[in-house]
């Protein structure tokens, strides 16, 4: 007996406070997911408003516009017959939470607040949000009137709960919770949750993808289950670059891998997987079953919907794959290059200016700009209409098609040699040679 489910995750290039653009990209991801047969769609952390809103999270308008986007999502025929899981800030009893809002067919099923906030290094989530500290506790959330008019619901469940569909059980994690020592997926898995979801706003750090992939695979290696991870991608207006890497894993092995460095604004992964593989995997782990018999149960929100179809005997399922990691040199070349492209197109400037001294710092910067030009030409070659439109606007030519990195570099990159009394002919020659090789103006 098979129970084949189709689930989708995505990496979206969301912009902070670009509510209309963010909505359009969310809709695109839902359309792609449904066209590939998915019955559940997961998006990145805080995808409705963008992750890097900083102190704009304090503003009531940020909350209002997030609900206005949610209203449009709920009303749209595109979101019918698929469970949609979106991220946005929510104010509950005058406390601001980083939340997942999960809905189906114009009904909100659950609002799940983040439990463990990221507050080290580049992250300052405790400045804007409060962690939900009531484990396995659910309260009533009173919906805004604009949402009530769409859903017909006055209140919805808010808190630490899981979704029980007709054929399986889903539990949500949010970004940092995967990295915490006491990740929720441990207890949720012991309580019978078979599909774990994680919506992330995880930025690029050299070799961080290795740790992220290992954490996702290990989450289901000991306990069994399906793990779905979505992530923000691109530069959303701050100095960080979010590197995508959406993925789907089952029973400790990767079954779907998204790109780490890509100029595509919307990337969707869909996997068809058999729940019976999860159940048979768990049945053989006696230590897991002994622990499961003693676990405290999670509140379950019943959903009159199935992720599988009755006629799924002949449906092929996804097989494990080997994750393809970039080398450190590729990460250094591609990550900053993708960030530069987002910064250039969003600032609406015509290009970059760099004093090229012949030293290592300016030379490395020039090479990263050239890498950006290479990525743009490759994206256009692969049919990315968004990149082509941005390139034409930057060079102010509606007929332009970037075909070669050196030629595109000459249009958007200007370098100059600014000598001082300490400069030598060697540095001048090195700067000139590099400038000629990359084709700059």
């Amino acid at each position: 007996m098979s129970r084949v489910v189709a689930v989708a995750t995505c990496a979206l290039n969301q912009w902070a406070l670009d509510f209309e653009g963010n909505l359009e990209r969310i809709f695109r991801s839902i359309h792609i997911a449904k066209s590939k047969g998915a019955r559940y769609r997961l998006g990145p952390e805080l995808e409705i408003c963008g992750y890097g809103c900083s102190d704009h999270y304090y503003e009531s308008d940020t909350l209002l516009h997030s609900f206005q986007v949610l209203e449009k999502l709920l009303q749209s025929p595109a979101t019918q017959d698929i469970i949609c899981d979106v991220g946005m800030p929510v104010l509950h009893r005058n406390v601001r939470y980083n939340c997942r809002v999960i809905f189906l067919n114009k009904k909100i099923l659950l609002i799940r607040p983040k439990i463990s906030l990221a507050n080290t290094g580049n992250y300052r989530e405790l400045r804007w949000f409060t962690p939900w500290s009531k484990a396995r506790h659910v309260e009533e959330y009173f919906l805004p009137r604009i949402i009530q008019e769409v859903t017909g619901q006055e209140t919805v469940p808010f808190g630490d709960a899981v979704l029980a569909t007709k054929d399986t059980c889903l539990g949500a994690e949010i970004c940092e919770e995967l990295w915490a020592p006491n990740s929720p997926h441990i207890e949720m898995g012991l309580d019978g949750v078979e599909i774990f979801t994680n919506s992330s706003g995880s930025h690029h750090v050299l070799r961080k993808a290795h740790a992220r992939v290992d954490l996702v695979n290990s989450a289901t290696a000991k306990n069994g289950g399906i793990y779905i991870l979505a992530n923000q991608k691109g530069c959303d207006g701050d100095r960080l670059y979010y590197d995508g890497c959406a993925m789907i894993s089952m029973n400790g092995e990767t079954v779907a891998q998204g790109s780490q460095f890509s100029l595509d604004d919307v990337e969707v992964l869909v996997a068809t997987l058999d729940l019976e593989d999860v159940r048979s995997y768990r049945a053989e782990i006696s230590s897991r079953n002994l622990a499961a018999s003693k676990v405290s149960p999670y509140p379950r929100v019943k959903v009159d919907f199935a992720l599988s179809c009755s006629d799924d005997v002949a449906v092929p399922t996804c097989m494990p794959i080997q994750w393809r990691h970039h080398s450190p040199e590729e990460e250094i070349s591609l990550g900053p290059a993708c960030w530069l492209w987002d910064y250039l197109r969003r600032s609406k400037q015509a290009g970059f200016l760099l004093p090229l001294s012949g030293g290592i710092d300016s030379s490395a910067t020039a090479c990263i700009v050239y890498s950006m030009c290479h990525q743009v030409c490759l994206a256009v070659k692969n049919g990315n209409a968004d990149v082509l439109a941005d390139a034409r606007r930057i060079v102010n030519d509606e007929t332009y098609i970037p075909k070669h990195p050196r030629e595109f570099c000459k249009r958007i990159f200007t370098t100059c040699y600014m000598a001082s009394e300490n400069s030598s002919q060697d540095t001048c020659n090195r700067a000139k040679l590099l400038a000629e090789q990359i084709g700059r103006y």
Side-chain angles (χ1 to χ4, degrees), residues 12-238:
L12 303 183
N13 196 327
Q14 303 296 73
W15 301 16
L17 302 176
D18 178 21
F19 293 97
E20 291 184 0
N22 292 347
L23 173 62
E24 187 270 334
R25 285 180 283 273
I26 292 170
F27 270 135
R28 281 167 59 185
S29 70
I30 294 171
H31 281 297
I32 296 171
K34 288 185 70 175
S35 69
K36 295 183 178 181
R39 293 171 67 82
Y40 170 86
R41 176 267 181 200
L42 176 71
E45 186 175 11
L46 295 168
E47 61 186 304
I48 285 181
C49 59
Y51 184 81
C53 294
S54 299
D55 283 358
H56 290 288
Y57 286 121
Y58 292 139
E59 300 167 5
S60 298
D61 273 2
T62 303
L63 298 168
L64 170 62
H65 296 327
S66 294
F67 272 110
Q68 289 171 335
V69 170
L70 179 62
E71 176 191 15
K72 293 178 181 178
L73 288 168
L74 287 164
Q75 289 176 327
S76 173
T79 61
Q80 301 303 296
D81 299 323
I82 182 172
I83 296 178
C84 294
D85 189 334
V86 300
M88 59 180 279
V90 176
L91 195 69
H92 175 57
R93 299 182 182 178
N94 299 124
V95 180
R96 190 179 298 99
Y97 295 98
N98 176 348
C99 293
R100 303 304 301 172
V101 179
I102 309 171
F103 61 91
L104 168 69
N105 294 338
K106 295 186 178 181
K107 299 290 182 182
I108 294 178
L109 306 173
L110 172 68
I111 300 179
R112 200 281 198 176
K114 192 171 183 178
I115 295 170
S116 300
L117 299 184
N119 212 58
T120 58
N122 288 297
Y123 294 103
R124 293 291 182 271
E125 289 183 7
L126 277 172
R127 179 178 173 90
W128 308 296
F129 302 107
T130 300
W132 182 258
S133 57
K134 302 173 185 178
R136 296 174 177 79
H137 178 73
V138 174
E139 298 175 351
E140 281 189 318
Y141 176 75
F142 286 83
L143 292 169
R145 278 177 291 180
I146 61 171
I147 304 300
Q148 290 184 26
E149 292 171 0
V150 177
T151 66
Q153 301 165 290
E154 185 179 58
T155 64
V156 295
F158 184 103
D160 186 18
V162 297
L163 299 181
T165 65
K166 289 182 175 181
D167 49 1
T168 187
C169 190
L170 298 91
E173 290 187 325
I174 305 176
C175 199
E176 179 71 12
E177 294 168 14
L178 171 64
W179 302 76
N182 58 340
S183 296
H185 69 257
I186 299 170
E187 297 267 309
M188 287 193 296
L190 293 175
D191 192 34
V193 173
E194 295 176 326
I195 300 176
F196 312 102
T197 67
N198 187 298
S199 52
S200 286
S202 183
H203 70 286
H204 173 245
V205 174
L206 197 63
R207 315 315 277 159
K208 185 179 181 181
H210 289 69
R212 191 187 294 130
V213 172
D214 288 345
L215 283 170
V216 169
N217 285 334
S218 64
T220 56
K222 290 193 295 183
N223 209 354
I226 297 168
Y227 202 104
I228 311 168
L229 183 138
N231 194 21
Q232 161 81 350
K233 68 188 303 187
C235 158
D236 75 344
D238 203 348

Side-chain angles (χ1 to χ4, degrees), residues 140-407:
E140 281 189 318
Y141 176 75
F142 286 83
L143 292 169
R145 278 177 291 180
I146 61 171
I147 304 300
Q148 290 184 26
E149 292 171 0
V150 177
T151 66
Q153 301 165 290
E154 185 179 58
T155 64
V156 295
F158 184 103
D160 186 18
V162 297
L163 299 181
T165 65
K166 289 182 175 181
D167 49 1
T168 187
C169 190
L170 298 91
E173 290 187 325
I174 305 176
C175 199
E176 179 71 12
E177 294 168 14
L178 171 64
W179 302 76
N182 58 340
S183 296
H185 69 257
I186 299 170
E187 297 267 309
M188 287 193 296
L190 293 175
D191 192 34
V193 173
E194 295 176 326
I195 300 176
F196 312 102
T197 67
N198 187 298
S199 52
S200 286
S202 183
H203 70 286
H204 173 245
V205 174
L206 197 63
R207 315 315 277 159
K208 185 179 181 181
H210 289 69
R212 191 187 294 130
V213 172
D214 288 345
L215 283 170
V216 169
N217 285 334
S218 64
T220 56
K222 290 193 295 183
N223 209 354
I226 297 168
Y227 202 104
I228 311 168
L229 183 138
N231 194 21
Q232 161 81 350
K233 68 188 303 187
C235 158
D236 75 344
D238 203 348
R239 58 196 178 88
L240 302 180
Y241 177 77
Y242 302 92
D243 61 341
C245 283
M247 66 177 294
I248 302 173
S249 171
M250 185 173 75
N251 297 342
E253 296 183 293
T254 303
V255 294
Q257 173 189 351
S259 61
Q260 186 175 13
F261 306 109
S262 167
L263 300 188
D264 295 335
D265 282 347
V266 177
E267 181 181 22
V268 179
L269 301 180
V270 176
T272 52
L273 302 166
D274 195 338
L275 293 173
E276 292 302 318
D277 289 339
V278 174
R279 293 160 188 169
S280 61
Y281 184 92
R282 286 179 170 178
E284 298 178 3
I285 310 174
S286 59
S287 58
R288 180 231 167 243
N289 298 332
L290 286 170
S293 65
K294 298 178 286 186
V295 74
S296 299
Y298 276 80
R300 276 169 160 73
V301 177
K302 294 183 179 179
V303 184
D304 187 20
F305 187 75
L307 299 188
S308 61
C309 301
S310 56
D311 185 21
D312 59 5
V313 177
V315 176
T317 57
C318 296
M319 300 302 293
I321 61 173
Q322 184 67 39
W323 189 278
R324 302 176 302 280
H325 285 289
H326 287 284
S327 68
E329 294 81 4
E330 288 174 329
E331 288 193 49
I332 292 168
S333 168
L334 296 174
C338 292
W339 184 94
L340 279 176
W341 174 244
D342 272 353
Y343 193 93
L344 177 60
R345 67 193 182 111
R346 294 181 188 185
S347 63
K348 300 187 184 299
Q349 301 302 305
F352 298 111
L353 167 69
L354 175 71
L356 190 59
S357 69
I360 188 63
D361 297 326
S362 62
S363 297
T365 303
C367 289
I368 290 171
V369 174
Y370 182 76
S371 175
M372 181 202 78
C373 296
H374 178 77
Q375 291 301 106
V376 168
C377 293
L378 185 62
V380 171
K381 182 180 179 180
N382 292 334
N384 191 317
D386 293 330
V387 173
L388 177 59
D390 285 326
R392 286 174 170 175
R393 179 180 51 79
I394 290 169
V395 303
N396 196 27
D397 184 347
E398 290 299 318
T399 63
Y400 175 67
I401 299 177
K403 295 181 178 179
H404 194 281
R406 293 184 78 254
E407 187 272 333

